[in-house]
Structures are given as structure tokens and as C-alpha cells.
Amino acid sequence: MNRAAPAILFAFPEFRRMARELVRSPGMVEGRFRADRYGNGEWHVSLGADVAGKECVVLGTVTPPADSMVALGILVHTLKKEGARRITALLPYLAYARADKDHERESMGAAWLGGFLASSGVDEVVTVDLHSDRDRVLFPIPIVSLSPATLFARAFGGRRLRDAVVVAPDRGAIPRCEAARTALGILRPAAYFEKHRHGRRMTQCGPFGDVGETAILIDDIFDTGMTLSLAVRALRKRGVRSIFVAATHGLFTDLKFRPDSVAGMVVTDTIPRTKGPPKGVKVLSVIPLLKGHFGARYA
Ligand code: R5P
């Protein structure tokens, strides 16, 4: 769709590299802002651009520490107050999205986050590999999810792994595994595990389905690594010799699983890092996905 004016991209400092790439594409220009603090740490935002009647995209994060989320909320609120026509929050990793189940007497972070973003002034969220479709129901605003399947397929060398079996570490991961399976040109149906959490403990049953000799485990989040570690162990017990791992969001908060113990592991760059990834992990850029999406919308 052609627009009279380009969208203005406001990016938080940790996403500067990604922002530079995005504003190289037609249809998006850089928007400047300052986020300062009062003496006690409260945020104060000033805009360096006139946004009245304009489309704005805010590139940032709601990942802990919560401070980044507060800064993002205040920036969005300021853009709205100044008359921005439409505000898209570009959150490459949508934190809290995995808290999407309604268990009695327990929080439901996804519903809370959706309310927070909408009430701050966000009209729409764009993210990579949304945790589940339940999040769309819990959010009062639309969520666009960009699939990393083609990135994973390219990273694993396309046809080289055509005889492999894609394995989902839990039932929720089956749709993303099916997307990757199609992109990889693999005909065998995906195998899967059943995962259950009991408080902080986790159990996994499976794998269900034929796994063969080469497996590609695909999940959205690598946090402590426990999910993938249990899956790798079970696959080895079933005789799988070669295991590849792909996780969209590499949080790496605690390494319960050593990435260099498998044949290959990839994550994407949705989580900005100050130091390099753990040994054995290759990082894939999501820029092609973002450019594809925003290019089609604004260019
Ligand atoms: C949960 O449903 C997610 O899809 C991931 O499987 C989970 O968050 C991974 O966490 P961890 O690496 O700590 O096992």
C-alpha cells in the first residue's frame, strides 16, 4: 500500500544496529528521541520529530528488567499525546507471551502485557515467532507474527537435511515445526514430545512419532535450556545420532544444555546481546523478515 509519508522509526539504543538496517529501506525514516531520568530513576521522554498525523514504529523490548518496558510505554504514550496516527510496537521478542494459560490463582502475564501496551497507545504489535495463537486472543490489539522458518531452513543448508525429522519439544511447538518442515522440504511428519510443568519441575514424555537418525529440534524460546536438554537426552536414547537445534529467542539465562554438544545450533538476534552467544551457537539475523514485512507495508 502506498503512503503519502514514510513511517518514523523510534528505536531504543540496544536495537540501533537493527534500526540502521531498517531505515535503509524505502518507506521508513529515523525518528530521534531522548529518554532521560529524574534523580530517582523515573523516565522522561522528549521527541526530536513532529509526529502529528504520522505512522510511528517503536523498536524496543518488554523483556526484564522492567525498566525497559516502562521507557517503551512512556515513549508510546508521548507519541500518542503528540497526535501520532498509528503506533506499531516492534518487539522482536514478545516477553510474557508464554504466560498465556489461565490457571486458577495464577497470573496470566500475556493478558496483562496486552492491556499495558494497548493502554499506553500501541495500535498493533509486530514480533517474531509469537509463542501461541492464544496470545492473539488475550491481546486487545492485533499481533503480527513473522515466522523464522525460512531462516532456519537456509541455516541448515536446505536439502542437506531432507531425510531428517523435525521434532517439537512440546505440543505447542508443533505449528512452528510444521512451518520449518515445509521450508526445509522435509516430507516426514514432525515428531513431538509432551511437556508438563509441575511448579518449577518439568517432565517430558516421548518422542511420539518416527525420529530416524537425524533430528532437528525447534522451539521458540531457549531460556534455561531445560526443555531442549530433556528432549536431546530422550532423542539420543531413541538412537538419534545427529541432532540440530533451532530456537528463535536465545535468552540463555542458565545453560542446562551445552549447545556445542549437538551437531549444530542456531538462534536469531531478537535478543540484543552485549557479549557473543554461547560457544557452538550461530546467530541468524531477522532483518530480512522485518524488511519483508515493513517493506510491503510502507515502501
Ligand atoms: C514454553 O512453552 C516455551 O515454548 C519454551 O519451551 C520454554 O520457555 C523454554 O524454556 P527453558 O529453556 O527454560 O526450558
Side-chain angles (χ1 to χ4, degrees):
M1 195 190 307
N2 283 320
R3 308 263 172 194
I8 310 178
L9 177 67
F10 294 89
F12 280 89
E14 60 269 45
F15 290 96
R16 214 164 266 148
R17 192 190 57 81
M18 205 176 258
R20 263 202 306 269
E21 291 285 337
L22 285 174
V23 296
R24 267 194 209 138
S25 308
M28 256 195 188
V29 294
E30 185 189 352
R32 293 185 189 276
F33 71 101
R34 278 181 63 131
D36 300 312
R37 293 173 186 272
Y38 290 99
N40 71 344
E42 292 165 27
W43 287 106
H44 175 268
V45 161
S46 8
L47 303 179
D50 174 18
V51 296
K54 312 258 174 70
E55 293 245 351
C56 297
V57 178
V58 173
L59 171 55
T61 183
V62 290
T63 315
D67 215 29
S68 26
M69 179 166 163
V70 176
L72 182 125
I74 292 186
L75 171 59
V76 169
H77 186 265
T78 312
L79 295 170
K80 202 63 159 194
K81 176 176 83 65
E82 292 304 306
R85 181 155 65 93
R86 189 158 181 275
I87 302 171
T88 298
L90 170 54
L91 307 171
Y93 166 57
L94 190 58
Y96 295 98
R98 58 181 152 166
D100 60 352
K101 289 174 206 76
D102 188 1
H103 296 303
E104 206 179 346
R105 295 195 298 276
E106 288 183 29
S107 61
M108 195 169 29
W112 162 76
L113 177 70
F116 167 79
L117 293 172
S119 65
S120 299
V122 173
D123 295 294
E124 176 195 57
V125 171
V126 174
T127 190
V128 178
D129 203 0
L130 179 65
H131 179 69
S132 81
D133 279 339
R134 278 187 297 274
D135 291 311
R136 296 182 202 282
V137 178
L138 296 174
F139 266 52
I141 48 178
I143 306 177
V144 174
S145 174
L146 308 176
S147 167
T150 51
L151 303 180
F152 293 158
R154 219 170 295 142
F156 288 132
R159 285 157 184 260
R160 198 162 57 83
L161 292 175
R162 278 189 103 159
D163 292 331
V165 172
V166 174
V167 183
D170 55 34
R171 274 178 174 275
I174 294 175
R176 75 175 49 84
C177 285
E178 285 297 337
R181 182 173 80 83
T182 307
L184 278 154
I186 293 175
L187 299 178
R188 291 158 95 177
Y192 66 96
F193 286 87
E194 299 261 10
K195 183 171 87 178
H196 303 282
R197 286 190 190 268
H198 319 271
R200 306 190 84 183
R201 219 166 59 82
M202 180 194 299
T203 53
Q204 225 173 18
C205 319
F208 299 101
D210 176 22
V211 284
E213 286 199 350
T214 304
I216 309 172
L217 265 167
I218 301 181
D219 206 358
D220 58 337
I221 304 168
F222 185 113
D223 190 349
T224 64
M226 182 57 92
T227 302
L228 290 173
S229 161
L230 292 176
V232 165
R233 219 178 299 158
L235 288 173
R236 289 221 166 99
K237 274 196 193 148
R238 275 279 289 268
V240 178
R241 292 215 233 148
S242 200
I243 301 174
F244 294 82
V245 172
T248 309
H249 311 292
L251 300 177
F252 299 116
T253 52
D254 181 12
L255 286 190
K256 300 246 182 290
F257 159 75
R258 284 194 30 224
D260 59 354
S261 67
V262 290
M265 173 163 180
V266 297
V267 296
T268 73
D269 60 352
T270 54
I271 313 289
R273 319 196 71 78
T274 43
K275 53 180 187 164
K279 202 169 154 224
V281 177
K282 186 174 174 199
V283 181
L284 313 174
S285 169
V286 296
I287 291 286
L289 306 181
L290 303 182
K291 279 192 169 177
H293 174 74
F294 289 106
R297 180 185 286 187
Y298 296 127

